[in-house]
Amino acid sequence: MLKKALSAIAIATLALSAQAEVLKVAATAVPHAEILNFIKPALKAQGIDLEIKEFSDYVQPNAAVEDKQLDANFFQHQPYLDSYNKDRKTSLVAVPNGKVHVEPFGAYSSKIKNIKDLKNGATIAIPNDPSNGGRALILLAKQGLIELKDPKSLTPTALEITKNPKKLKFKELEAPLLPRALADVDLALINTNYAIEAKLNPTKDALFIEGADSPYTNIVAARKDRAGGADIAKLMGALHSAETKKFIIEKYKGAVVPAF
């Protein structure tokens, strides 16, 4: 009986040790959660049970990681993370080799088909957070619609517009609301993940769009005490695989561009 009991304990111990390690990652639905779902089987084979928590905004994914509810997140670029840390007094970091992809930022309209048709006094909707709002202004400046005080700044504001020949008016909205604002404005600068969710095709529907050389590469972020974890390293290995690159290229057809 004793031998049987010891054997049962040994088997139970082995079973517990064989259980997958849980890694909880926050993400916005498109394309981040889709990409994470693609790599789940590869991580499972490495002993990592990837749990994906979807969010519809850009604040809660960072708050959940900062509060230790989740281990990491995948939804943002470095300028946004820097701005978030500064505003919220947090210290989240990009994990080692944390760059994954670029989502070229685009301008959309339901009222005009060509940017040359944009009228004087037109209303332009842009994201209301500093990094993405600045990104929108930079893209408008590259089109020659405005000029900015410091062309090299990644976070310009509307107050730093030095020339506005068309006397454009700017309306700042939360990023998820921008697609719904298309009927009420002349032009909206929309993050690609929200454009895709709204059934907009960035490579076909955008009047103009960033190039793949954009500095706004999407990253995986975590707390400093978790960034160097072995499980995070396995996550990045799966995200940087040849299979993941092929998945991104074939699924998003230029709307999402691998950065590895």
Side-chain angles (χ1 to χ4, degrees), residues 63-193:
V65 172
E66 177 68 21
D67 294 342
K68 299 185 178 182
Q69 298 175 37
L70 302 173
D71 301 303
N73 62 47
F74 176 37
F75 77 97
Q76 66 193 321
H77 48 65
Q78 189 68 52
Y80 180 84
L81 178 59
D82 292 342
S83 176
Y84 182 94
N85 280 333
K86 182 179 179 181
D87 292 344
R88 308 272 175 159
K89 310 300 182 189
T90 52
S91 55
L92 300 176
V93 298
V95 307
N97 301 311
K99 294 181 179 180
V100 181
H101 69 262
V102 174
E103 298 173 19
F105 199 65
Y108 302 83
S109 178
S110 62
K111 297 181 179 179
I112 60 174
K113 298 297 183 182
N114 192 302
I115 195 60
K116 294 179 181 178
D117 299 326
L118 189 66
K119 297 179 180 179
N120 289 344
T123 299
I124 314 295
I126 65 174
N128 67 352
D129 66 90
S131 62
N132 286 305
R135 186 180 185 183
L137 295 176
I138 291 169
L139 189 54
L140 290 168
K142 286 184 177 180
Q143 292 296 311
L145 293 169
I146 59 173
E147 288 187 17
L148 298 168
K149 183 178 180 180
D150 181 4
K152 295 182 179 180
S153 172
L154 292 179
T155 55
T157 69
L159 296 175
E160 296 172 64
I161 297 173
T162 55
K163 289 187 180 180
N164 184 2
K166 284 184 174 287
K167 301 188 184 304
L168 303 174
K169 301 171 184 176
F170 294 94
K171 186 174 185 178
E172 297 186 354
L173 299 172
E174 291 186 13
L177 302 179
L178 288 164
R180 284 179 268 171
L182 280 171
D184 302 317
V185 299
D186 298 289
L187 192 72
L189 282 292
I190 305 175
N191 296 77
T192 291
N193 58 314

Side-chain angles (χ1 to χ4, degrees), residues 37 61 82 198 234 244:
N37 274 305
D82 292 342
K234 289 180 180 179
T244 303

